[in-house]
Amino acid sequence: MRRCPVVLLAALAGCSKSDPEPRTYHEVTLRVEQPALDSGGPAAPGTGPATPGMTGSVPTADVGLSWIAPEGWEERPGSGMRLATFLAGGSECTISSFPGDVGGLRANVDRWLGPGQLGADTTGEDVSNFIVAADRFSTKGGLSGVFLDFTGLTGDGKSMLAAVLKKDDASVFVKLMGPREVLEQERDKFLALAKSLE
Amino acid sequence: MVVACLAMLMVLVFWGTLYQVRFGLFAAQEKFFYSWIFLQFGWIPLPGAQLVLAILFVNLVASMLFRFRFGWRQTGIILIHLGLMLLLAGGWYTHQFGEESFLALVEGEGSNVSSDYRMWELSLSKSNEVEREITAFDTRGTSAGTIFRAESYGLEIEAGIYHSNCRAFQGGESSNTVNASNITGFQPAERNKVPEEDVPGMICTVRDRAGGEADLLLFGGDPGPTLLETADGPVYFQLRRKRHPLPIFIHLVDFDRTYHTGSSTAKSFESRIEVHVGEVVREVLVEMNKPLRFQGYTFFQASFQPLESGAELSQFAVTRNFGRLIPYFATGFTVVGLAVHFLMPMARRRK
């Protein structure tokens, strides 16, 4: 019986975690070069590509813009098409730019309201009225923009504030997506950030 | 015993439903349904669904073996029991051997591997071409000191830091690690309620056979692999979702969607794909509720995402379950058993 602890220790040693074993496979993945997604960051299944080989060059987002970060918002550097990311009340606000008009304002609003994003149950007429009623503004640098407050179209859950601006031949998007309460709380700071662009 | 088991299952479903509201579906499944024993309220040990179902199965077998008097009159009861046993066995088989993954393709793209929802791998390859050989290690259970030995590459990779979920940063104080996206550091983050949203990060030391050494920083959100020159040539490293090789190459030709008139609610979405099996190519339309089935794999149209570039990304849920027909057989046995059990006495009475 005295040998029991020794045997037990030996058994435990035998059960200790071993190094991971490699597995090999043949992969064929054909990728089409895409600009970085507006959503940025890692893609979760169901929301993004999570692609293995998006090795294409990422177009630069540098369109010569500057801004003033609102007080209390934590700014993080951008990459790819994303110029900057801010943490605002636990939600993420992004500034991104894309060449051209990216389909135009209506197409972008439709897409944001669509099932992949806000999933709002709206009619075409609702969207038209929403765009017509949206506030127009000018930034510190003289850029003209449209401010879109989606909280009026979505339910009590996730919603979005967006500002769409033109800078030369590029479209600039400022977006804050998160719970309705956060958006209401951060609305003024969001507008201040959008208006500070120059 | 059967009544007690069924009552316990009802309780588990009730608790699981409440639990998933706060902690998410995955956590509820792990705690109540994939466990043998769990601690309720933090200290009361109770049987999980696995244990309850195992007891139910053993009880069914035992009752058949020791309590039944086999004969024509018991045909119905025996069939019902066989059906239930088959249903339980099928559930166990699917849970143990079924695979669930996804394949996300932009129009024009193609692949012969799908990605796991939750598991990650450290992948190594000698090229970054369209077609390449991959050596991969599952990162489940990785911690500081875990060694990955890639002998065909002449490399030993030792994990220094591994976080199952973290946030990465660029800029700031430059570190001595190599990273493809110029990430200089990361911070651990709390695991998400939905584990699919976790993004791991790892700092590891790579040693080659010539004694060379380099520190790599790999982040699950890196858009591409990190290249390192080793004694045996260039090697591409990537921390990415675990890949599942498929028996076919799928090429997304076109994705199409239609909406209900006057609203942005999707009416249907469908993907036109080319399926390559060796040299044979055939075109298939995968629609909502009309999946592609091939050699035990099923490809469902799961979701889509319009990209800023104007192209569309289509995502397929990929399941591999050789036991998918078992529930149909089990239900068939049970229905026939019930019919026999209730109709036989009626027939005898008429005689």
Side-chain angles (χ1 to χ4, degrees):
Chain A
M1 291 299 283
R2 276 173 171 269
R3 289 171 63 185
C4 280
V6 180
V7 172
L8 186 64
L9 279 175
L12 284 174
C15 293
S16 69
K17 206 168 60 176
S18 58
D19 294 334
E21 286 296 318
R23 62 192 182 98
T24 55
Y25 54 88
H26 181 74
E27 178 178 333
V28 186
T29 298
L30 177 66
R31 291 287 170 207
V32 174
E33 210 165 284
Q34 294 288 330
L37 292 177
D38 185 27
S39 56
T47 60
T51 51
M54 273 177 57
T55 54
S57 61
V58 177
T60 173
D62 187 9
V63 286
L65 273 176
S66 63
W67 54 85
I68 300 166
E71 208 180 312
W73 285 21
E74 186 189 329
E75 183 172 351
R76 290 177 180 173
S79 65
M81 311 304 275
R82 189 180 284 198
L83 302 169
T85 303
F86 303 87
L87 276 186
S91 293
E92 205 179 60
C93 177
T94 59
I95 303 178
S96 47
S97 85
F98 297 88
D101 67 353
V102 203
L105 184 61
R106 174 64 191 244
N108 281 298
V109 171
D110 279 340
R111 187 168 51 77
W112 290 331
L113 286 168
Q117 302 207 17
L118 295 175
D121 194 9
T122 50
T123 63
E125 197 183 338
D126 292 340
V127 178
S128 299
N129 293 337
F130 173 66
I131 291 174
V132 170
D135 290 337
R136 267 67 181 171
F137 67 95
S138 286
T139 71
K140 193 178 162 190
L143 308 178
S144 57
V146 183
F147 172 61
L148 301 158
D149 183 346
F150 288 88
T151 53
L153 288 179
T154 53
D156 285 331
K158 186 174 73 170
S159 193
M160 188 168 80
L161 301 177
V164 183
L165 304 105
K166 285 294 286 180
K167 165 86 168 124
D168 304 326
D169 288 334
S171 299
V172 179
F173 298 93
V174 186
K175 284 164 59 182
L176 173 60
M177 193 180 271
R180 191 190 182 93
E181 314 85 69
V182 174
L183 301 187
E184 282 168 357
Q185 190 186 314
E186 303 294 338
R187 193 175 186 275
D188 291 344
K189 286 183 179 177
F190 175 86
L191 263 174
L193 171 68
K195 287 180 178 175
S196 74
L197 287 167
E198 60 176 326
Chain B
M1 180 61 82
V2 172
V3 173
C5 285
L6 292 177
M8 189 63 208
L9 285 175
M10 278 174 60
V11 171
L12 288 173
V13 169
F14 177 72
W15 278 339
T17 307
L18 295 183
Y19 194 83
Q20 64 101 20
V21 173
R22 191 167 168 202
F23 298 99
L25 184 63
F26 180 75
Q29 284 176 326
E30 288 291 313
K31 179 169 181 177
F32 296 102
F33 304 109
Y34 296 161
S35 61
W36 291 89
I37 289 177
F38 68 96
L39 294 177
Q40 181 64 336
F41 310 118
W43 63 279
I44 306 174
L46 288 171
Q50 287 232 45
L51 182 56
V52 176
L53 291 169
I55 292 170
L56 202 57
F57 183 81
V58 172
N59 186 59
L60 280 170
V61 175
S63 68
M64 267 190 72
L65 291 178
F66 303 114
R67 295 184 61 181
F68 283 7
R69 273 175 288 167
F70 290 90
W72 283 111
R73 287 187 178 185
Q74 272 72 44
T75 307
I77 291 286
I78 290 169
L79 279 173
I80 293 168
H81 278 71
L82 281 175
L84 292 174
M85 281 157 55
L86 195 59
L87 194 65
L88 290 170
W92 175 83
Y93 182 84
T94 300
H95 175 58
Q96 293 298 320
F97 301 107
E99 270 178 20
E100 286 184 354
S101 55
F102 69 95
L103 176 61
L105 297 172
V106 178
E107 287 160 326
E109 292 186 340
S111 186
N112 73 335
V113 290
S114 60
S115 305
D116 203 284
Y117 287 110
R118 302 182 192 106
M119 308 259 283
W120 292 75
E121 69 180 19
L122 168 63
S123 75
L124 284 73
S125 63
K126 287 183 177 166
S127 86
N128 197 25
E129 301 297 316
V130 168
E131 201 164 347
R132 55 196 179 140
E133 297 300 322
I134 303 280
T135 295
F137 299 87
D138 287 3
T139 58
R140 186 169 48 178
T142 298
S143 57
T146 300
I147 307 268
F148 304 94
R149 287 191 174 83
E151 283 168 12
S152 54
Y153 291 74
L155 296 176
E156 185 183 274
I157 303 145
E158 181 176 354
I161 298 171
Y162 185 85
H163 299 305
S164 299
N165 187 30
C166 63
R167 291 197 186 92
F169 301 98
Q170 289 172 319
E173 212 170 288
S174 91
S175 62
N176 293 322
T177 53
V178 183
N179 176 265
S181 326
N182 297 321
I183 291 171
T184 50
F186 48 63
Q187 277 185 352
E190 262 186 42
R191 302 295 298 270
N192 285 295
K193 269 187 195 178
V194 183
E196 289 94 312
E197 290 173 4
D198 286 348
V199 182
M202 174 164 74
I203 293 178
C204 55
T205 304
V206 181
R207 298 183 193 94
D208 65 16
R209 61 175 99 238
E213 199 172 288
D215 287 335
L216 279 185
L217 188 154
L218 299 172
F219 177 57
D222 282 336
T226 298
L227 172 64
L228 202 64
E229 287 293 338
T230 71
D232 288 21
V235 178
Y236 292 84
F237 295 81
Q238 193 168 11
L239 185 58
R240 60 182 198 170
R241 292 183 190 279
K242 182 180 174 179
R243 298 295 193 265
H244 297 279
L246 303 170
I248 50 177
F249 176 85
I250 290 181
H251 177 231
L252 177 64
V253 178
D254 187 32
F255 174 81
D256 197 21
R257 60 195 151 121
T258 52
Y259 291 106
H260 287 287
T261 313
S263 86
S264 55
T265 307
K267 186 179 178 185
S268 74
F269 38 104
E270 59 191 32
S271 298
R272 193 154 54 84
I273 58 171
E274 276 177 0
V275 179
H276 298 241
V277 189
E279 297 299 312
V280 181
V281 182
R282 69 182 169 111
E283 199 167 286
V284 177
L285 193 65
V286 179
E287 299 172 78
M288 293 156 81
N289 304 321
K290 282 188 188 166
L292 162 71
R293 296 187 198 279
F294 186 84
Q295 290 185 2
Y297 287 86
T298 310
F299 299 81
F300 298 94
Q301 177 71 63
S303 62
F304 68 92
Q305 185 183 1
L307 304 181
E308 299 290 357
S309 63
E312 286 171 315
L313 178 144
S314 178
Q315 183 159 306
F316 303 95
V318 184
T319 60
R320 188 190 191 193
N321 179 16
F322 292 108
R324 73 180 179 86
L325 294 178
I326 294 177
Y328 296 104
F329 289 120
T331 314
F333 271 118
T334 311
V335 169
V336 173
L338 283 167
V340 171
H341 184 68
F342 289 111
L343 293 178
M344 270 177 74
M346 285 170 68
R348 275 202 300 272
R349 244 177 267 143
R350 280 194 179 175
K351 278 182 187 174

